[in-house]
Amino acid sequence: MTQQTPTAAVPAHTTFGEVLAGQVIAVTGADQGYGRTVSAALARAGASVVLIGNNSETLAAAASQLEHAGGTAVPIKADVGVPLDWLSAQTRILDIYGSLHGIVHLADKRAHAEFTMLSENEWMDLFNCNVKSSVAIAQIIRRRLPGTWLTIIGPHTDERGLHVHPQRGAVQGLVEHAHRENLRLNLLLPSRASSSDDTLDRPLSTAVMALAAPGMASLRGNVIEVPLPPLPKLRVQEDYPL
């Protein structure tokens, strides 16, 4: 059942820093879009954040920025669409920290083409990034770290095209039935793509942190739509003859 963003998941008198201090949380796609925004919010909340992505330079820059701001962050290059890459990254996290409490996985890659023009290669890329990676991460944590939670940020609700429905449906089915394997999975569906503005994208970060709170361990199998403020419209400057 699709729900709206929880508004009272964390008591008003409790700071997120107190709630997430001591947690080790990995974020995929952490050097761009929602991954960067969520990573920054988790670091500010006191978590040790592992930044995972495909670009070593941008990951290192993002980690350096979080460390400079007083957070704790470690960059790890890995293609989470490849199960062995994720397994290697997970092993390295355990070598560094000795634990991995949670994972925020970005499974929200958008198509650049309309449904009728989507090539087989583009479709397989979407499937690998959004569906295959989600299943692989869930499978590996079930085998090796069954107590680790997984929050998936899935395809945005404003995305159009027939191709988005089998992706969203597959990830939703995974989340809703993960309890059968005693896994703590939840799915967040943002109303739009990232704005790269922390203020505009804050509701999504807030939802991630609410689900990450140790006191919310009983929450699993939820599919939560996260409404976000619309992007500001750009003003087009008109040229007038002198």
Side-chain angles (χ1 to χ4, degrees):
M1 180 177 180
T2 302
Q3 303 176 10
Q4 296 298 313
T5 307
T7 56
V10 178
H13 63 275
T14 305
T15 65
F16 277 116
E18 293 173 345
V19 172
L20 299 183
Q23 284 211 39
V24 178
I25 301 175
V27 181
T28 69
D31 54 346
Q32 60 185 336
Y34 286 129
R36 194 178 183 102
T37 300
V38 168
S39 297
L42 292 171
R44 287 193 300 268
S48 296
V49 185
V50 181
L51 311 180
I52 296 177
N54 295 320
N55 189 308
S56 298
E57 293 183 0
T58 54
L59 285 172
S64 178
Q65 187 176 22
L66 294 182
E67 291 274 346
H68 183 72
T72 302
V74 172
I76 295 179
K77 181 182 178 181
D79 181 355
V80 294
V82 179
L84 285 178
D85 256 27
W86 168 255
L87 180 58
S88 176
Q90 180 175 291
T91 300
R92 188 172 172 194
I93 294 168
L94 295 177
D95 288 341
I96 295 171
Y97 290 107
S99 60
L100 177 59
H101 298 90
I103 302 160
V104 181
H105 175 45
L106 275 291
D108 65 339
K109 186 177 181 64
R110 296 173 75 108
H112 297 294
E114 295 182 358
F115 172 69
T116 54
M117 302 301 294
L118 198 67
S119 70
E120 180 180 356
N121 286 340
E122 289 174 305
W123 163 246
M124 291 308 300
D125 185 41
L126 289 172
F127 178 83
N128 287 337
C129 291
N130 296 341
V131 180
K132 178 184 173 183
S133 60
S134 299
V135 174
I137 291 173
Q139 184 183 46
I140 291 170
I141 62 174
R142 178 63 182 86
R143 287 175 181 167
R144 297 170 178 264
L145 296 170
T148 298
W149 54 261
L150 171 61
T151 295
I152 301 172
I153 298 176
H156 318 135
T157 58
D158 70 340
E159 189 172 358
R160 299 293 178 261
L162 190 57
H163 52 273
V164 73
H165 297 288
Q167 298 175 69
R168 189 182 294 130
V171 177
Q172 181 170 335
L174 172 71
V175 167
E176 290 179 337
H177 297 281
H179 66 276
R180 297 181 180 180
E181 294 288 343
N182 199 30
L183 285 166
R184 179 183 166 194
L185 269 62
N186 291 287
L187 174 63
L188 300 177
L189 299 174
S191 62
R192 56 160 171 77
S194 170
S195 68
S196 298
D197 183 325
D198 286 358
T199 301
L200 292 175
D201 295 343
R202 187 172 297 155
L204 183 64
S205 298
T206 300
V208 168
M209 290 192 293
L211 291 172
M216 306 307 290
S218 61
L219 281 184
R220 59 186 65 198
N222 295 285
V223 179
I224 303 171
E225 293 186 8
V226 183
L228 298 164
L231 299 179
K233 294 182 179 179
L234 296 176
R235 292 185 178 181
V236 178
Q237 185 174 0
E238 298 183 7
D239 293 328
Y240 294 97
L242 296 176

